[in-house]
Amino acid sequence: MPPAIEATGLTKNYGDLRVLDALDLQVAPGTVFALLGPNGAGKTTTVRILATLTTPDAGHARVAGHDVVTARPRVRRAISLTGQFAAVDENQTGAENLWTAARLSGLTRPAAARRTAELLDRFGLTEAGGRLTKTYSGGMRRRLDLAAGLVRGPGETQVMFLDEPTTGLDPRSRQELWEIVRELSDGGTTVFLTTQYLEEADRLADRITVLGKGRTLAEGTPAALKARYAAHRLDLVAPDEQAYLRLTTLAGPTATHDPAALTLGVPTDGSAAHVRELLDALDPGRRDIARFTLHTATLDDVFLTLTADKEPSHV
């Protein structure tokens, strides 16, 4: 199948500031794709270009098979965009917000009423549907915002753009939105996600691209990125300075050192067999290691490694 999103050489300048620098992207249909990067990396600009809200200075992009510049109306009929802040009318009820969105999307009055009821049920808002949205919690507003993006019905929204959708939400609301995103993907919708929560990308994304200064620093699956750019580490705590010195001698040059805490960090593949092997090799008498902790590779490690002014690279 052709990509749901395909971009080649996307470039965008604001005055003398280059926000995107020949960015390439490819997103498979029906998947969750996460775009990560520090503030100012170009994430929101990328979303705005792909959602036809901003025109690139150079490069080309197609969304749902349509060019984002020459076929804007077709792109807009195939996508939904949820920005960083919930765009709901506080002086309308939840049901009125959805009904209005459905009518603006071209649904008849009966069809809009049916779709409103379906979405209120799907997003767990049926009981709150008759309340003004000014009384909603942040999580409820976010769910309503997502629901409004799907008023055209199953299959009509091919690509959903979510620009930092869980910013400011409590952990429970964030978990609820994660479930909704996964349901959308399972139902065939392609989800393009930007986020500052690396755990979110790790949990949801099938593929990730990390941006830095408008350029691709790395791309791949979460597992591939962690395998390449982050490492498991076995942290060993010695009971006293003498034991610490003995461990240091045996650990070799790849170990990290924290003399104040009497702690060594030793690279490992994370497997139980390798951990046992390291413990036996470094402390054969079983008296120099008071305790140990296995630090598993995370996307946080990947992110910190890649955004520390590294040269661009790819997985």
Side-chain angles (χ1 to χ4, degrees), residues 25-97:
L25 290 174
Q26 191 167 97
V27 181
T31 62
V32 179
F33 174 87
L35 189 64
L36 306 182
N39 291 334
K43 302 187 300 297
T44 295
T45 299
T46 301
V47 170
R48 289 182 60 82
I49 290 174
L50 296 176
T52 75
L53 299 178
T54 299
T55 302
D57 295 328
H60 304 277
R62 298 176 69 85
V63 174
H66 309 297
D67 189 279
V68 299
V69 175
T70 61
R72 287 186 178 186
R74 293 185 177 183
V75 172
R76 291 176 179 178
R77 283 195 293 270
I79 70 171
S80 171
L81 170 62
T82 297
Q84 296 181 18
F85 304 99
V88 298
D89 187 339
E90 293 188 343
N91 295 314
Q92 287 188 326
T93 66
E96 289 169 342
N97 267 275

Side-chain angles (χ1 to χ4, degrees), residues 79-267:
I79 70 171
S80 171
L81 170 62
T82 297
Q84 296 181 18
F85 304 99
V88 298
D89 187 339
E90 293 188 343
N91 295 314
Q92 287 188 326
T93 66
E96 289 169 342
N97 267 275
L98 293 180
W99 189 86
T100 301
R103 290 288 288 148
L104 290 173
S105 295
L107 272 65
T108 64
R109 288 176 177 270
R114 287 194 300 271
R115 190 61 183 149
T116 294
E118 291 170 359
L119 290 170
L120 288 173
D121 178 64
R122 180 178 184 183
F123 286 82
L125 293 169
T126 299
E127 293 184 4
R131 286 167 37 199
L132 294 178
T133 55
K134 66 174 65 176
T135 68
Y136 282 19
S137 67
M140 294 170 67
R141 291 186 187 201
R142 201 35 127 177
R143 294 205 305 273
L144 182 65
D145 202 23
L146 287 174
L150 296 171
V151 293
R152 285 178 302 214
E156 294 189 41
T157 299
Q158 298 177 49
V159 179
M160 174 168 271
F161 292 98
L162 303 179
D163 191 10
E164 299 187 14
T166 59
T167 297
L169 295 186
D170 60 79
R172 182 180 296 276
S173 297
R174 190 173 298 131
Q175 288 276 356
E176 291 173 351
L177 282 180
W178 289 355
E179 293 175 6
I180 291 171
V181 168
R182 183 49 68 189
E183 288 175 6
L184 290 171
S185 176
D186 291 343
T189 300
T190 302
V191 180
F192 187 106
L193 171 75
T194 75
T195 180
Q196 295 188 36
Y197 298 106
L198 301 182
E199 181 193 2
E200 186 165 272
D202 204 358
R203 288 276 298 273
L204 294 176
D206 299 296
R207 258 189 110 71
I208 291 171
T209 288
V210 182
L211 286 188
K213 298 180 181 179
R215 304 175 68 190
T216 299
L217 299 180
E219 57 188 352
T221 65
L225 290 173
K226 286 185 284 188
R228 179 164 184 178
Y229 294 102
H232 298 287
R233 187 182 71 244
L234 187 63
D235 290 334
L236 309 173
V237 181
D240 53 52
E241 187 173 351
Q242 289 72 30
Y244 175 77
L245 292 174
R246 287 192 292 269
L247 289 173
T248 300
T249 301
L250 294 173
T254 59
T256 59
H257 303 268
D258 185 354
L262 298 177
T263 301
L264 284 174
V266 184

